[in-house]
Amino acid sequence: MLSVTNRTSLSAVGVDAAVRFDADASTLSMFAVIQLFVYGAMQIPVGVLLDRFGARPIITIGMFLMAAGQLVMAFAPDVGTAILARILLGAGDAAIFPSVLRVVAVWFPVRQAPFMVQLTGIVGQGGQLLAILPLAALMHATSWTVAFGSLAGLGVLFTVLTFAVIRNRPPGRDADVSVDTRTGAIRAVTSSADLRQGFTESWAHPATRLAFWSHFTTPFSGTAFILLWGFPFLTVGEGLTPAMASLIFSVYVVAGMVVGPVIGALSSRHPMRRSRMLVLPIIGIQVVAWLAVILWPGPAPLWLLFALALALSTGGPASMIGFDHARTYNPSHRLSTATGIVNVGGFLAALLAILLIGVAMDAQGAGTPDTYSLAAFRLAFLTQLPLWALGAGFIVFERKRTRVHIGLDEPRRRRNEKPSADRDD
């Protein structure tokens, strides 16, 4: 929860950040883009380190780096220092969620793992509420330094708590273990495979690539909305009060927490239909909701903006399906590496979406809060369409390859190849 609060700490104060650092839209985007770039770049190394050292040291270091990043942000006098703060924040944040998944795999029975992963995601999303409401209220009641300094203080506290409380493995075990999901067995993690080998073996399986593209395509729009561009769009573009924009953000968070268990249950009950029944329809819902808001003549009505928040809220829970794919088809010794690959997907797409929106705003001469306009926001948000199209295409392609790989579908026959006479249809 604290890592999500840190990650989204600019969501409700983006306009204040633009004024404080005299930043145009592209520069404001760079705060989030660099943070997400570092987060994504660290995922695979973090996965390898987790496979070798366990969760306790990695999550402790992550908490410390986030605290350092928020302390730098609290006193940052210029854009360069603020970017350094976001680098530290992204590096620390990168260690948290994979470590939590590691704790789940090590401490909980196989049958509880999908539920615990969804529950962790649901509870963690509550951190967005802290970033939307209390942090913004504290900053406006005191100062930028006090607000971000308070987050740094919380980070120091949780650095100590995580080191004191978390253990790599349950008592009585002398090695980390994780689940071999192909057989259901729990095995010790002893692999010391290097980064290249672990990445190559994980990426070679089409299910890992399906998981990557599922995580790439489902959450990025909601991440870009909640992380940076949603609040300026709602307040300056759509003309809502900050209180009403915060309410829409809160609906986004709470709805995601409610829909998460439903998506998790459907994913568990229909493991062979996850892409067609859940992932692709959820992508379609987000596209339709955004197009409705963009094409609406004049400012969108409140009910439509709430509908957009509900549509975007499905992206986070749907992205967790990617981790189900990775856990199902990768052996235990490279589970964290595969998880890191999958986690890169969503944040790479969010990075691209945030950057493209910022560039599109600048290209229209609407790069600062004084020049933001509804028309500029609408055109800028259209830059999300190619990302959805790219991701959905690869989901369809890798789904077919995965089903062939595990024997559910026949390989596509070449044009002159005859079907085997001794194979049942």
Side-chain angles (χ1 to χ4, degrees), residues 9-381:
S9 55
L10 285 182
S11 60
V13 296
V15 174
D16 299 273
V19 173
R20 176 180 176 86
F21 298 111
D22 192 23
D24 59 18
S26 295
T27 303
L28 194 61
S29 291
M30 289 304 295
F31 289 158
V33 165
I34 290 175
Q35 175 187 338
L36 293 177
F37 174 80
V38 173
Y39 183 104
M42 291 293 293
Q43 285 303 297
I44 296 171
V46 164
V48 173
L49 291 172
L50 280 170
D51 280 338
R52 298 190 65 178
F53 300 111
R56 185 190 189 196
I58 305 303
I59 200 170
T60 301
I61 292 171
M63 282 292 176
F64 176 78
L65 287 175
M66 284 194 297
Q70 294 293 35
L71 185 62
V72 172
M73 179 61 86
F75 295 97
D78 51 39
V79 170
T81 308
I83 288 176
L84 172 62
R86 304 313 281 184
I87 290 173
L88 292 171
L89 195 65
D93 189 17
I96 306 304
F97 189 62
S99 298
V100 172
L101 293 182
R102 178 66 171 210
V103 171
V104 170
V106 170
W107 279 83
F108 291 90
V110 178
R111 66 183 182 277
Q112 292 182 2
F115 171 77
M116 289 302 301
V117 170
Q118 282 289 343
L119 180 62
T120 301
I122 292 167
V123 173
Q125 293 313 303
Q128 295 180 357
L129 292 176
L130 297 178
I132 294 166
L133 300 173
L135 178 64
L138 177 62
M139 192 194 76
H140 293 142
T142 56
S143 67
W144 177 280
T145 299
V146 170
F148 284 90
S150 298
L151 281 179
L154 273 177
V156 172
L157 172 63
F158 273 80
T159 299
V160 175
L161 288 176
T162 52
F163 182 79
V165 174
I166 292 175
R167 294 294 179 269
N168 281 350
R169 62 192 73 92
R173 293 180 184 168
D174 56 2
D176 275 12
V177 297
S178 61
V179 180
D180 184 342
T181 48
R182 295 180 299 179
T183 65
I186 297 179
R187 304 189 309 177
V189 175
T190 57
S191 172
S192 59
D194 62 22
L195 176 60
R196 182 181 302 174
Q197 179 183 352
F199 176 86
T200 301
E201 291 176 351
S202 297
W203 185 254
H205 199 297
T208 302
R209 300 194 297 272
L210 173 62
F212 174 90
W213 289 109
S214 298
H215 200 260
F216 179 97
T217 317
T218 48
F220 76 81
S221 185
T223 302
F225 188 81
I226 201 77
L227 199 63
L228 188 63
W229 288 117
F231 210 83
F233 167 68
L234 293 174
T235 54
V236 182
E238 292 287 349
L240 302 183
T241 64
M244 183 58 67
S246 296
L247 179 60
I248 291 175
F249 270 38
S250 300
V251 167
Y252 165 88
V253 176
V254 174
M257 297 168 73
V258 171
V259 78
V262 177
I263 292 177
L266 291 173
S267 177
S268 297
R269 293 179 184 177
H270 304 281
M272 297 299 122
R273 302 173 61 190
R274 291 165 175 160
S275 297
R276 282 190 175 181
M277 188 173 73
L278 294 172
V279 174
L280 292 172
I282 283 172
I283 294 169
I285 289 170
Q286 294 182 52
V287 174
V288 169
W290 260 123
L291 288 178
V293 170
I294 290 171
L295 298 176
W296 192 273
L302 269 178
W303 67 264
L304 185 54
L305 295 175
F306 278 110
L308 174 65
L310 291 173
L312 295 180
S313 73
T314 62
S319 72
M320 306 301 284
I321 294 173
F323 297 114
D324 289 339
H325 288 311
R327 186 174 57 251
T328 301
Y329 297 109
N330 280 277
S332 59
H333 66 273
R334 64 168 187 257
L335 183 59
S336 293
T337 302
T339 298
I341 292 173
V342 175
N343 213 15
V344 168
F347 289 92
L348 174 62
L351 180 157
L352 293 173
I354 291 171
L355 179 60
L356 290 173
I357 292 168
V359 170
M361 292 291 288
D362 277 345
Q364 299 174 80
T368 63
D370 293 336
T371 57
Y372 289 165
S373 69
L374 181 58
F377 274 118
R378 285 173 166 173
L379 288 177
F381 283 124

